Amino acid sequence: SAVYLQIEAEVQRRKELIHQSVERRAIISRCYKPKHPEVYTLQDSFLAPEFLEVVRFCTSPGADLQGLLRYLESFSDKRIYRLPVFTQEFCQAFVDELENFEQSDMPKGRPNTMNNYGVLLNELGMDEPFLTPLRERFLRPITALLYPELGGACLDSHKAFVVKYALHEDLDLSSHYDNAEVTLNVSLGKEFTEGNLYFGDFSQDPSPVPQYTEVEHVRSRGLLHRGGQIHGALPIASGERWNLIVWMRSSAIRNQLCPMCNRKPELVEAEGFGDGFTEPPGEEVPQTVDLCALG
């Protein structure tokens, strides 16, 4: 009986999250004065020249996976890749803006159930002017080549947030996998020691004795990995670390099989991206998702 009541309370809490987030966003939009308003709208100048070169390759005729891999750092056989994403100047200005928001009296939501410190970027109004073009114009050409079987060419929604690790706050992150087809994790700074990420098995292919791969954070560089890759963050030893996390989702994939419970989802109406599920317009979702790579 007690367990049932706890489950009911959690279900109700999750149902209220969207409405609470909408209320917070309205208050922030009305009352918050940004310190660096320019960082809210994506500009090519925010992006590292090496990143723009990768995107140019991926959108060129004849681009293929082997050619793309020459631009990326690869880690083990787990399909984890590192590449420059932002300039150092943008990272500094963005963290400065996030700290300004953190120190304000604005209402703040938790990034997720595992992180207690950070910012939900949709509540800052960054979805349309920054994150959607980042996903559509710049990341999707890359993920189309890296993760075609996960809908990499048709990642049509996202959840984006910034997490903060600091002494006497969140120090680390336990093993988990993401509610995403593909995840981008960018280290924004500041100064910190330790706190490497570690990666284990893919969630659907666990082994009795998993082999872990550690990957060091490098400021302004991002890690691309499959959302279902089990991973975590080791404790930082000093300083403060901010990371931008973008969970990218493909409705063509998850409409057929929920990545969290591995069952066909039963859809209900939701505001915003609705965790990346969409109601197929007038017809069933195709049985194969490879077609999205042809669009």
Side-chain angles (χ1 to χ4, degrees):
S1 177
V3 172
Y4 178 79
L5 291 175
Q6 289 179 333
I7 294 172
E8 281 290 307
E10 178 62 15
V11 169
Q12 189 59 37
R13 185 190 72 82
R14 295 191 178 209
K15 285 181 178 180
E16 294 172 357
L17 284 178
I18 294 176
H19 304 295
Q20 293 169 351
S21 182
V22 169
E23 291 174 1
R24 287 194 298 267
R25 178 174 177 176
I27 294 171
I28 292 167
S29 176
R30 186 170 64 249
C31 304
Y32 176 63
K33 184 177 181 180
K35 183 176 181 179
H36 297 285
E38 70 278 3
V39 304
Y40 286 73
T41 301
L42 183 64
Q43 302 175 35
D44 286 10
S45 61
F46 296 167
L47 302 170
E50 302 93 329
F51 180 72
L52 294 172
E53 185 177 353
V54 171
V55 176
R56 278 193 293 270
F57 170 79
C58 292
T59 54
S60 65
D64 61 6
L65 175 60
Q66 291 307 311
L68 170 58
L69 292 180
R70 291 198 294 267
Y71 292 89
L72 309 177
E73 294 180 78
S74 300
F75 297 91
S76 72
D77 59 350
K78 300 181 188 297
R79 300 172 72 188
I80 304 160
Y81 307 101
R82 183 163 64 195
L83 73 166
V85 178
F86 298 118
T87 65
Q88 297 280 348
E89 294 77 13
F90 169 76
C91 289
Q92 183 173 342
F94 191 30
V95 170
D96 197 33
E97 175 61 33
L98 294 167
E99 288 182 319
N100 185 69
F101 176 74
E102 185 184 51
Q103 293 160 10
S104 74
D105 59 358
M106 293 295 103
K108 301 169 182 72
R110 291 176 63 185
N112 53 63
T113 56
M114 300 182 73
N115 293 101
N116 296 297
Y117 299 91
V119 180
L120 289 161
L121 295 182
N122 69 309
E123 295 185 2
L124 283 182
M126 294 188 71
D127 264 352
E128 290 306 315
F130 191 105
L131 293 157
T132 294
L134 178 65
R135 169 174 51 81
E136 292 181 348
R137 290 179 52 205
F138 297 102
L139 293 171
R140 205 156 58 186
I142 301 173
T143 57
L145 293 176
L146 292 179
Y147 307 107
E149 82 289 359
L150 296 175
C154 49
L155 297 171
D156 50 6
S157 69
H158 61 261
K159 176 179 179 178
F161 49 94
V162 174
V163 294
K164 176 190 176 187
Y165 297 90
L167 300 181
H168 310 299
E169 296 183 358
D170 286 341
L171 290 176
D172 56 11
L173 188 62
S174 300
S175 294
H176 65 285
Y177 58 91
D178 300 336
N179 186 359
E181 275 63 72
V182 181
T183 295
L184 172 69
N185 183 335
V186 184
S187 178
L188 301 172
K190 304 163 59 173
E191 298 297 326
F192 59 90
T193 57
E194 303 298 335
N196 290 351
L197 287 177
Y198 61 90
F199 292 88
D201 297 322
F202 193 68
S203 60
Q204 296 177 15
D205 306 302
S207 58
V209 184
Q211 298 293 314
Y212 288 96
T213 299
E214 270 192 47
V215 182
E216 183 182 1
H217 284 288
V218 179
R219 188 182 185 193
S220 78
R221 292 177 179 260
L223 291 169
L224 280 167
H225 63 85
R226 296 174 293 178
Q229 197 81 44
I230 296 172
H231 60 285
L234 296 170
I236 65 167
S238 66
E240 190 174 292
R241 176 160 64 82
W242 293 78
N243 284 66
L244 167 66
I245 314 293
V246 185
W247 289 351
M248 293 178 282
R249 294 147 168 180
S250 169
S251 59
I253 294 287
R254 58 183 45 217
N255 281 2
Q256 298 180 69
L257 194 69
C258 172
M260 305 306 286
C261 68
N262 290 319
R263 292 183 293 188
K264 185 172 179 60
E266 297 180 13
L267 303 177
V268 297
E269 289 189 17
E271 298 182 46
F273 286 130
D275 268 12
F277 299 93
T278 60
E279 188 72 52
E283 57 184 32
E284 290 298 316
V285 178
Q287 290 304 303
T288 174
V289 299
D290 291 338
L291 296 177
C292 69
L294 303 178

